[in-house]
Amino acid sequence: MSDFVDRPTWVDVDVDAFRHNLEQARKFCSLQQRLLAVIKADAYGHGALKLGLALQRWGIKDFAVATLGEAVALREAGVAGSLLVLGGCFPGQEETFIDFQLQPALLDVDTAERLNRAGRKRNCQVEVHLKVDSGMGRVGFRTKQLASFLPQLRGLTHLNIVGFMSHLACADDLDSVVTDQQYANFKDMLEMVRSAGISPRDIHLGNSAGLAGWELTECTMFRPGIMLYGGLPGPAFADRLDLKPVMHLRTRIAQLRSLPGGTAISYGHTFVANSNIKVAVLPIGYADGYNRLFSNCGRAIVRGQEVRIVGRVCMDWIMIDVTSVSDVAVGDCVTLLGEADGLSILGDEWAQQLNTISYEVFCRIGSRVPRRYLES
């Protein structure tokens, strides 16, 4: 790459791998079930506009994002399918939801009334997905709240309840009894809704883990997220899913330094060379999402070899030990996340090392790191 605006640090997004992972998700659906692709948080840091349009080309007609702004950006980019805003509709946003034909998750009575008034004013029906709390303990109607709200909901004639949804809390644990309990609660509340004369078309509960790990036959659609980007929903899914990494974080060596034994490197002098060392300096740091916890323990791939981070990760720089790398040169490509030369450093491996999840790993790769989309 030679067309850098700021510096030679970038993400390669493998669109073919993204499509491969989509096909993996499709394998778990029956002919009567659809996928609602979750592309919130800029498609988990991969680029929602590019990947949303790619999904649309591949036949996906249903999308989920977190915020109104994310949904509007997709509409303006040409994504024409159903767009569910999982974060709901905040006061003052009602007209925009109608203008862009967006579907909010309906989380509370106040929002229902506001959207109904907006629909009456515009002489239209506002499509919503009724969100229930089946055991997540976060947002949505609990059983008693739903029972008391249903008579009122039937009277809100400018709302069209096209979806009924909840979210799984423990689906990544295949031995947990929580998911079975949640599914039972979900079905009970769905029956309450149907008994009240409301018949949602789209019934969805399962995320990536729910799709690949559980029999949720009542559902008409599933919401794959992390699996589309090559991350496992949990360790137990390694033998169930054949996923490919989509995000590849790369940079180039900015400077090479030959330093004598005894040299201390970076803040706090937490690394001191035992002997003569060759160090490559890379223009990337924690401001770009390369976590500071990788200080003195992170890995990188350069010229087909795995090497180590030395010294503390800085805001804009990191250093790697390339003493053993033959013919290493300024400008060499270095891979910090993803695949290169038959080696890999996966998001799930980062997550394990950082005591987090791959969702956070991908989302934290900073906005000042440009994305390049590779597709055959």
Side-chain angles (χ1 to χ4, degrees):
M1 291 182 63
S2 59
D3 54 341
F4 299 108
V5 175
D6 290 321
R7 66 206 163 126
T9 295
W10 73 99
V11 162
D12 282 331
V13 177
D14 188 336
V15 181
D16 293 330
F18 184 66
R19 185 170 190 176
H20 168 87
N21 297 339
L22 172 67
E23 295 307 318
Q24 287 289 301
R26 279 177 161 154
K27 289 181 180 179
F28 290 93
C29 289
S30 71
L31 293 176
Q32 293 75 38
Q33 293 170 325
R34 311 195 314 279
L35 294 180
L36 191 161
V38 179
I39 52 175
K40 63 180 180 176
D42 198 29
Y44 293 32
H46 293 71
L49 302 187
K50 292 281 190 180
L51 295 186
L53 290 171
L55 287 165
Q56 187 166 260
R57 292 198 307 272
W58 303 331
I60 296 297
K61 298 180 180 179
D62 302 278
F63 304 87
V65 294
T67 69
L68 175 61
E70 291 176 346
V72 169
L74 287 168
R75 276 284 186 259
E76 292 179 337
V79 174
S82 298
L83 262 171
L84 169 62
V85 178
L86 298 167
C89 175
F90 290 95
Q93 296 181 340
E94 299 85 6
E95 297 281 344
T96 305
F97 270 89
I98 294 172
D99 290 340
F100 286 90
Q101 296 182 304
L102 306 173
Q103 301 171 344
L106 185 58
L107 310 177
D108 54 65
V109 175
D110 176 69
T111 303
E113 293 174 340
R114 285 189 286 105
L115 287 167
N116 189 66
R117 286 195 298 269
R120 185 188 312 118
K121 177 182 176 183
R122 297 286 290 272
N123 192 30
C124 68
Q125 285 197 319
V126 183
E127 294 186 346
V128 301
H129 289 236
L130 180 61
K131 175 72 175 284
V132 297
D133 179 4
S134 60
M136 179 72 176
R138 191 168 61 183
V139 293
F141 292 89
R142 294 180 67 82
T143 302
K144 290 184 179 179
Q145 293 171 322
L146 180 65
S148 62
F149 173 54
L150 282 174
Q152 180 183 354
L153 180 59
R154 289 190 61 187
L156 300 178
T157 57
H158 290 277
L159 293 186
N160 183 9
I161 314 300
V162 297
F164 181 82
M165 62 180 292
S166 190
H167 192 57
L168 295 172
C170 302
D172 57 322
D173 181 359
L174 296 177
D175 295 323
S176 172
V177 299
V178 173
T179 298
D180 288 332
Q181 293 169 347
Q182 278 200 254
Y183 188 37
N185 294 339
F186 181 75
K187 290 189 290 184
D188 287 345
M189 286 191 275
L190 177 59
E191 181 57 33
M192 290 170 56
V193 169
R194 287 172 170 164
S195 296
I198 300 170
S199 300
R201 176 192 67 225
D202 299 326
I203 313 298
H204 49 108
L205 173 67
N207 48 13
S208 292
L211 170 62
W214 301 86
E215 292 291 329
L216 306 175
T217 54
E218 191 72 47
C219 294
T220 63
M221 59 167 44
F222 288 88
R223 303 188 303 264
I226 193 62
M227 68 182 297
L228 297 180
Y229 309 102
L232 292 171
F237 292 81
D239 60 350
R240 293 176 178 238
L241 295 171
D242 172 27
L243 302 177
K244 294 183 177 181
V246 179
M247 178 181 285
H248 306 266
L249 177 62
R250 311 194 200 277
T251 188
R252 292 192 184 276
I253 294 175
Q255 190 176 91
L256 283 170
R257 312 188 74 206
S258 295
L259 303 173
T263 300
I265 294 174
S266 196
Y267 291 112
H269 284 187
T270 60
F271 177 88
V272 179
N274 292 325
S275 57
N276 294 348
I277 186 173
K278 182 176 285 188
V279 172
V281 184
L282 310 179
I284 185 173
Y286 60 74
D288 305 296
Y290 194 79
N291 201 293
R292 193 169 178 269
L293 293 176
F294 285 135
S295 298
N296 295 308
C297 64
R299 297 181 294 140
I301 301 167
V302 57
R303 286 186 176 257
Q305 284 189 233
E306 184 178 296
V307 298
R308 296 286 171 172
I309 308 299
V310 291
R312 282 189 181 158
V313 173
C314 308
M315 183 180 289
D316 308 304
W317 300 99
I318 59 175
M319 285 65 69
I320 57 175
D321 178 358
V322 292
T323 307
S324 64
V325 182
S326 300
D327 300 321
V328 65
V330 169
D332 280 353
C333 182
V334 180
T335 296
L336 298 165
L337 175 67
E339 294 181 336
D341 302 318
L343 301 175
S344 65
I345 303 171
L346 302 180
D348 290 310
E349 295 169 358
W350 268 32
Q352 184 177 19
Q353 192 170 353
L354 296 170
N355 193 29
T356 184
I357 53 178
S358 57
Y359 305 70
E360 183 180 13
V361 164
F362 299 140
C363 289
R364 280 190 175 271
I365 303 302
S367 59
R368 74 177 187 177
V369 180
R371 271 61 169 167
R372 184 175 70 164
Y373 295 86
L374 308 180
E375 186 173 10
S376 61

